[in-house]
Amino acid sequence: MDSRSRGAFWGWALVRNASMEPTLREGDRLLVSYRRRPEVGDVVVARFPDGRLVVKRAAERRTAGWWLLSDNAAEGVDSRHRGAVPEEDVRGVVLGRVWPRPARRL
């Protein structure tokens, strides 16, 4: 049984910086599925080795885990700085922005 088969189905995330602009902006509130498996192109919530939770785009699945990138390459920290994120540290898949009201799909 993996971690996705236990606990909550959904949760919330808050965007805290500009690393995902223009898709997401600081202050956006997101609905996250903890049971959905990520696919290439999904926006995900992951835990970096230092314990920090981040919102990033799942760019590629590699042997060592997921290669996660910021939509805004000039901002934030992603796999270019930290390497691949192990599968078990990709905590959830963002289903959508709930506030402010979404104007477009992720």
Side-chain angles (χ1 to χ4, degrees):
M1 177 187 290
D2 73 26
S3 64
R4 289 179 181 83
S5 61
R6 299 185 300 252
F9 287 100
W10 301 284
W12 306 102
L14 176 65
V15 177
R16 296 188 181 261
N17 61 40
S19 71
M20 289 301 291
E21 287 183 356
T23 308
L24 299 170
R25 301 191 186 288
E26 187 170 358
D28 285 355
R29 275 125 176 113
L30 311 173
L31 178 63
V32 179
S33 170
Y34 295 118
R35 302 264 176 121
R36 186 172 157 192
R37 294 191 180 278
E39 296 179 10
V40 171
D42 283 344
V43 176
V44 299
V45 174
R47 184 174 303 278
F48 278 153
D50 64 2
R52 193 169 75 172
L53 286 173
V54 297
V55 176
K56 301 293 175 194
R57 186 157 317 266
E60 180 182 352
R61 187 180 294 203
R62 297 184 174 187
T63 305
W66 280 97
W67 194 257
L68 304 179
L69 296 175
S70 302
D71 283 1
N72 181 356
E75 292 287 330
V77 174
D78 58 27
S79 289
R80 293 170 298 148
H81 309 95
R82 302 285 175 98
V85 175
E87 182 85 28
E88 61 272 12
D89 289 337
V90 177
R91 303 300 191 169
V93 175
V94 174
L95 299 176
R97 184 178 66 218
V98 295
W99 190 88
R101 187 174 177 191
R104 64 185 182 293
R105 191 169 187 267
L106 298 176

